[in-house]
Amino acid sequence: MKKTLILLALLAILRPVSLLAQEDYPKGSPIGRIFADYRYSINSDDEYSGFGVSRAWLGYKFSIDENFSAQIIVDIGSPLGNEDVSAKRYMFIRNALVSYNKNRLTLSFGVCDERASQTELKLWGKRYLSSPFLLQYKFANIADIGFIADYKVSDILSLDAAILNGEGYTQIETDNSLKYAFGITITPIRGLIIRGYGDTNKREEGTKNTLSASLGFVNEKFSLAAGYNYKSDFDWTDGHNTGGFTVFGGFNLSAKLELFGRFDRLSSQTPDGESEPWNLSKDGSLFITGVQYKVMKQLKFSVNYQGWNAADPGDNGWNYIQANAEFRF
C-alpha cells in the first residue's frame, strides 16, 4: 500500500512536468540589437567624423503558454530617441508588456511598441540607418505606455486600436491626457500593403492630431513605398501644423546585396499674420542612398550617403558618408 501511494505521488508530480515538456511551455529567448556606425562629414558646419554606437537593446521574451507572453527590453541610446551624433547615451525601458493572443486577436498592456510606424518600419527595413518618417520628425513615438489591441479580420484586412499616455517611453505621464489611435492595414495581393492611421491627443494647451497614409510593394527583386504624414498643433500651439511625404525603395542585386534610396520632404505651414513657416529651422529634405550587404540574417552592413537640404536659406544643412552595421539576435 505504501509503495502504491509513493507511485501515485510520483505520477502526480511527473505528469505536469511531462505535459509542459510536450507543449514546450513555458519558454523564452533573449533579444539583442546593436547599431554601430562610422560617419565622415562632407561640406557640413559641424564637420563631425568618427565611430559610434548609436543604440543597443537588450531584453527577453517569455511565453507562459500558447496565449500569454511577456517581454522586456532595455534601450540604451540617445535621449528621446534622437538619432544624432551626441556622445551622451541614456538607458530607458523600451518594452515592458504582457500580451494575450487568441485566434485573430492580440491584446497588449504596458510599455508597448506603437503601431503608427510599424508598417513603415517593415517596408523601410533599415532602422539602423535612419528612422522612418513618423519617428524621424517626431510625429509619433516608437513606444508608449498603454493598451493596444490588434485584430486580424481576414488575410486581407487587419485593424489596430490603442489608448496611450501620448508621451513616449522615455517620459512618465505628467498630465491627465490620453492619446487615442486607430489604424487599418490592407493587403489585397501578396506583397502589396496599404496603410491608414490616425491619432488624437487632447489636453488644456490644445489638441494634436496625426494622419498618415502609406502604400508599399515588396517582392523578391525590389521594394517601393511612399507615404504622406500630417500633424496639427505640433507643439500644442494652434496653427503650428506640419506635414510631408517620404518615398523609398530598393533593388536586390543578389540574394545578399541591395541598392536602396530614400527621399523625405518636411514642411511646416505659415500661420495667419506671419511671413514664414513656423518651423522653418527644421524644414527641409532628406536624401539617403547606398548599398546594403546581408552577411547573415543576424548581421548586415551598409555604405551610404545621407544629406539634409535645409529649407532655411541661412542653414547649410549637413552631408555624411557613412558605414553602418546592425547585429541582432
Side-chain angles (χ1 to χ4, degrees), residues 5-239:
L5 291 174
I6 293 174
L7 181 60
L8 290 173
L10 287 173
L11 287 174
I13 295 171
L14 293 175
R15 179 171 173 75
V17 175
S18 175
L19 288 174
L20 285 174
Q22 183 178 5
E23 297 175 0
D24 199 25
Y25 289 107
K27 59 183 179 181
S29 59
I31 301 169
R33 202 169 180 182
I34 300 171
F35 298 165
D37 62 77
Y38 174 80
R39 298 183 181 187
Y40 179 76
S41 175
I42 53 175
N43 301 325
S44 298
D45 291 339
D46 57 15
E47 297 183 353
Y48 171 87
S49 299
F51 291 95
V53 176
S54 61
R55 175 150 267 104
W57 301 346
L58 182 63
Y60 195 82
K61 183 174 182 178
F62 183 76
S63 297
I64 303 167
D65 57 28
E66 62 181 3
N67 300 123
F68 285 94
S69 63
Q71 177 172 293
I72 184 168
I73 296 176
V74 174
D75 185 342
I76 305 170
S78 299
L80 303 180
N82 293 332
E83 297 301 327
D84 55 23
V85 295
S86 170
K88 294 182 179 180
R89 293 294 176 263
Y90 297 84
M91 182 182 293
F92 300 100
I93 296 177
R94 157 66 185 272
N95 283 155
L97 62 104
V98 175
S99 296
Y100 172 80
N101 181 275
K102 181 72 172 181
N103 298 326
R104 297 175 179 269
L105 176 66
T106 300
L107 304 175
S108 302
F109 177 75
V111 185
C112 312
D113 284 347
E114 286 195 19
R115 302 302 187 255
S117 58
Q118 291 302 298
T119 298
E120 273 194 328
L121 278 169
K122 181 179 179 181
L123 291 170
W124 171 231
K126 299 171 181 64
R127 174 74 173 82
Y128 72 111
L129 300 184
S130 180
S131 300
F133 190 102
L134 285 168
L135 301 180
Q136 184 80 10
Y137 309 111
K138 307 296 185 295
F139 281 44
N141 301 306
I142 184 65
D144 202 349
I145 306 172
F147 174 82
I148 298 178
D150 300 279
Y151 184 68
K152 189 173 183 180
V153 180
S154 66
D155 292 338
I156 295 176
L157 177 64
S158 296
L159 306 174
D160 55 89
I163 303 175
L164 306 164
N165 277 352
E167 302 195 29
Y169 70 102
T170 62
Q171 299 186 57
I172 300 174
E173 173 68 13
T174 58
D175 54 54
N176 296 321
S177 68
L178 293 172
K179 181 166 74 174
Y180 301 90
F182 178 78
I184 178 170
T185 305
I186 303 172
T187 53
I189 60 175
R190 182 182 179 185
L192 179 62
I193 301 176
I194 303 170
R195 170 73 172 171
Y197 169 85
D199 66 47
T200 183
N201 189 356
K202 184 178 181 179
R203 64 188 195 189
E204 291 183 2
E205 296 92 325
T207 302
K208 289 183 180 181
N209 296 303
T210 307
L211 294 174
S212 175
S214 56
L215 173 69
F217 182 79
V218 181
N219 65 15
E220 293 77 11
K221 293 298 295 182
F222 74 95
S223 63
L224 183 62
Y228 179 79
N229 306 281
Y230 175 82
K231 195 171 188 73
S232 66
D233 297 356
F234 186 89
D235 58 354
W236 302 104
T237 302
D238 185 35

